[in-house]
Amino acid sequence: MVQGGKKRENRFNRIERVRAEKRAKTAAKFKERMERRKLEKKNPELKKKRQAENVPMTIDNTRAYDPSMVTIPSGLHPKSAIPAEFAARSKPTASTKGASAADSSEPSGSKVPQDQDPTPPAVPAEFMDPEHAADIANDPFAAYFDPDSERDPSEPPKVLITTSPHATAPTWAFCDELIGVFPGAQFFKRRKRGFRCNAPPLGTVAGWAVKRGYSSLIVVNEDHHKPNAVTIVHLPSGPTAYFKLTSVELTKEIFGHARASPHYPELVLNNFVTRLGHTVGRMFQTLFPPMPEFEGRQVVTLHNQRDFLFFRRHRYMFKSTDRTALQEIGPRFTLKLRSLKTGLPSNNPLGAPMKPLELAKEDEEPEQQYAHIAEEGANVEDEDNSGGEDEGAEKLVKEEKETKRDGKKEARKGEEFAWAWNPRMDFKKRNFYL
C-alpha cells in the first residue's frame, strides 16, 4: 500500500525485523551467560581466570612507564608495558651473578620447588637503582629512619603548625583539625599585616622553629577566606614541599563520624612508586611517631591516585575473626604537589618593606647631611672626565655588580627546585610523577 509516495508497509517491516534481531541477540547473550554461570559454579577457577582476563582499561592501570619508578604500581592492566620494562631493567649482569653465587649461604641440597614462587619483597633488590639507594641513605630524612639513633621512637616529632598572615576563622579551624591528626603538633598564630606591622617572612619562622627544636613546619595558606595551599618544611635543612589544597571537609561535616582518641595513629602510604613519590612519602612519615599505638585502632591513609593525595583517617573495628569495619574520623582533604625545593624557604621576599627615612640633625652642616649625594656627584664627574678611557674603573663597576648579584643569590638560598609542576605536564594524561 502506497500513501503519499512512501512505502509504508516496507518501513514497518524493517522496524519489526530490527527489533526481532535485537531480541534474538539479547536472548543469545542471556543463554550464554546462564551456561557460563553453571560451568563456573562447578569449577570456580574458570571464574577467576575470566575476571583476570577481562580487565577494563583506565587511565590509572595504563599509566606510562617512568624510568624513576622504584616499584611496580599495583592494579596494572595485563597489556601494560611497565612489567616488561622492569623485567628488562632487572636482568642480572655477570658481576651480579657472581656476587649472588658467592654470597649465597644456602646448602647445596636445599632447592626451592619450581611450582612454589617465593613472595617478592616490597622493593625487590634487583629493581632498586643503586643511585636511588644512595639517595635514600643520604637524604634529609635518614636520621628519622636510623635504628641506631638516640631518639626515643615512642616520642612524637615536634611539628609547628601556622598560617599565612591575616588568616581567618576557616583556616584556624582547619589548623585545629591538623593538630588532632599529628600527635606532636603545636599551633603558632602569626601576626596580622598592617600599616605599621609587618609579619615575619616564612624563612624567619623556619629559623625560629629550628632554634626551638621543631622537626617540621606546616604552613596553611588561604585565599578568599578559605584554605587553599599547604607548605611542609622539613627542619633543619629542608626540603620544602608546596601542595595545593582542595576538597576540605572538617570532622563535623562528615556524617556519622567517630571521635578521635589521643592514641598515636598508624600510617598507610599507598601507590608511591617513583623516586619523587618516595621522597614525598618519607616526608609525611617524619610527621608521625615511628611507633604507633595499636590499641587506639586509628589509621591515617594517604592514597596517591593520578598524583592526587587523598587524606583520610579511620578507626577500624573487628566484628569477627574474618570481618572488619571502618568508621571515618576526619578530616578529609586532597593535596596536589606543585613544587619541591631542596632547602628552606627564602628569607628575602620580593615585597620586603623599605627602609625608614632618616631625618637630618640641626647641628650638622649641609655637606654632612647630604654626604651620599656629594659622593654620587663626584663619581659622576670622575666618569665624565675619564671619557671612558679608564678601564680600571669599568672593572670596578663590574665587580660591584657581581658582588651585589652574589649577595642576592646568597640571600635567596634554598630556592633550588628539585621538582616543579608545569601546566604542560597535564597534556599527557597517562604521565604521573608520584
Side-chain angles (χ1 to χ4, degrees):
M1 182 177 181
V2 179
Q3 292 183 356
K6 296 181 180 180
K7 297 182 179 180
R8 183 179 178 184
E9 292 183 358
N10 293 344
R11 175 172 174 268
F12 281 100
N13 290 339
R14 287 194 299 271
I15 292 175
E16 291 296 334
R17 187 165 58 251
V18 170
R19 289 177 179 175
E21 291 177 357
K22 287 185 177 181
R23 286 194 295 267
K25 289 181 180 180
T26 304
K29 289 182 178 180
F30 180 77
K31 183 179 180 180
E32 182 183 357
R33 189 162 59 249
M34 291 297 103
E35 292 178 355
R36 184 170 62 242
R37 180 179 296 182
K38 291 179 181 179
L39 295 175
E40 291 177 352
K41 190 175 182 180
K42 296 179 181 179
N43 188 4
E45 296 296 332
L46 296 177
K47 183 177 181 180
K48 294 180 180 180
K49 182 179 179 181
R50 177 177 60 84
Q51 291 178 347
E53 294 176 353
N54 298 337
V55 179
M57 299 183 68
T58 62
I59 296 179
D60 295 331
N61 61 18
T62 57
R63 63 179 296 176
Y65 172 74
D66 191 347
S68 65
M69 284 183 178
V70 182
T71 58
I72 300 178
S74 60
L76 289 177
H77 194 271
K79 296 183 180 180
S80 176
I82 293 180
E85 295 287 348
F86 265 82
R89 204 170 83 179
S90 63
K91 288 182 179 179
T93 58
S95 59
T96 307
K97 291 180 180 179
S100 61
D103 296 340
S104 61
S105 59
E106 296 181 357
S108 59
S110 62
K111 294 184 180 180
V112 179
Q114 296 181 358
D115 56 344
Q116 297 180 1
D117 286 332
T119 303
V123 182
E126 62 270 16
F127 294 160
M128 177 68 74
D129 186 6
E131 184 179 355
H132 175 61
D135 290 344
I136 289 180
N138 301 317
D139 66 353
F141 318 111
Y144 175 86
F145 298 96
D146 187 9
D148 299 331
S149 62
E150 299 179 356
R151 188 173 58 85
D152 186 5
S154 62
E155 182 181 354
K158 293 181 65 177
V159 180
L160 181 63
I161 299 178
T162 184
T163 63
S164 58
H166 204 74
T168 54
T171 305
W172 292 337
F174 180 69
C175 292
D176 190 21
E177 296 277 353
L178 293 182
I179 293 173
V181 171
F182 306 111
Q186 297 179 8
F187 180 71
F188 169 72
K189 186 177 180 181
R190 297 179 71 180
R191 295 183 299 174
K192 294 183 179 181
R193 289 177 177 173
F195 181 73
R196 295 184 180 274
C197 178
N198 293 309
L202 192 56
T204 302
V205 177
W208 182 88
V210 170
K211 292 179 181 179
R212 285 155 180 80
Y214 289 94
S215 61
S216 298
L217 172 65
I218 299 178
V219 183
V220 181
N221 186 51
E222 76 166 24
D223 186 24
H224 291 80
H225 303 285
K226 291 182 180 180
N228 72 325
V230 173
T231 303
I232 301 178
V233 185
H234 181 73
L235 303 176
S237 59
T240 302
Y242 177 75
F243 299 89
K244 292 298 291 182
L245 177 65
T246 55
S247 305
V248 178
E249 291 188 29
L250 304 181
T251 300
K252 62 182 181 181
E253 299 174 356
I254 299 175
F255 178 76
H257 66 85
R259 290 186 179 182
S261 62
H263 297 91
Y264 299 163
E266 306 169 45
L267 180 62
V268 176
L269 300 174
N270 187 21
N271 207 21
F272 292 87
V273 296
T274 63
R275 295 174 65 177
L276 177 63
H278 277 219
T279 301
V280 174
R282 287 166 68 86
M283 175 178 283
F284 278 104
Q285 279 183 285
T286 58
L287 302 177
F288 294 89
M291 297 275 299
E293 297 177 352
F294 297 99
E295 59 269 19
R297 295 180 287 107
Q298 294 185 136
V299 57
V300 173
T301 306
L302 270 172
H303 174 70
N304 173 34
Q305 185 174 355
R306 304 184 191 179
D307 288 350
F308 287 93
L309 309 183
F310 298 93
F311 179 92
R312 298 293 186 270
R313 182 167 61 149
H314 296 86
R315 175 178 287 115
Y316 55 88
M317 299 172 288
F318 297 101
K319 290 190 173 183
S320 65
T321 56
D322 299 331
R323 296 181 58 194
T324 57
L326 292 176
Q327 186 179 13
E328 188 170 1
I329 300 175
R332 60 171 69 162
F333 53 88
T334 305
L335 299 174
K336 174 80 170 180
L337 182 64
R338 291 303 192 192
S339 66
L340 182 68
K341 298 180 182 178
T342 56
L344 296 178
S346 172
N347 201 13
N348 184 21
L350 298 177
M354 298 179 62
K355 295 182 179 180
L357 296 175
E358 297 181 359
L359 299 178
K361 298 180 181 179
E362 296 181 357
D363 299 339
E364 293 181 353
E365 297 180 359
E367 295 180 356
Q368 297 177 354
Q369 296 179 8
Y370 307 103
H372 61 286
I373 299 178
E375 291 178 359
E376 291 179 0
N379 294 335
V380 172
E381 290 180 0
D382 294 341
E383 291 178 0
D384 295 340
N385 294 333
S386 62
E389 298 177 358
D390 190 3
E391 296 179 357
E394 293 180 359
K395 291 182 179 179
L396 290 175
V397 173
K398 290 182 179 179
E399 290 178 358
E400 290 180 358
K401 290 182 179 180
E402 290 178 358
T403 54
K404 290 181 180 179
R405 191 182 302 111
D406 295 339
K408 290 181 179 179
K409 289 182 180 179
E410 292 180 359
R412 299 189 67 86
K413 281 183 178 179
E415 292 296 325
E416 295 87 1
F417 284 91
W419 184 87
W421 176 82
N422 193 307
R424 296 180 180 178
M425 295 180 177
D426 290 343
F427 290 164
K428 296 182 179 180
K429 295 184 179 180
R430 302 186 188 278
N431 287 349
F432 306 115
Y433 304 95
L434 296 181

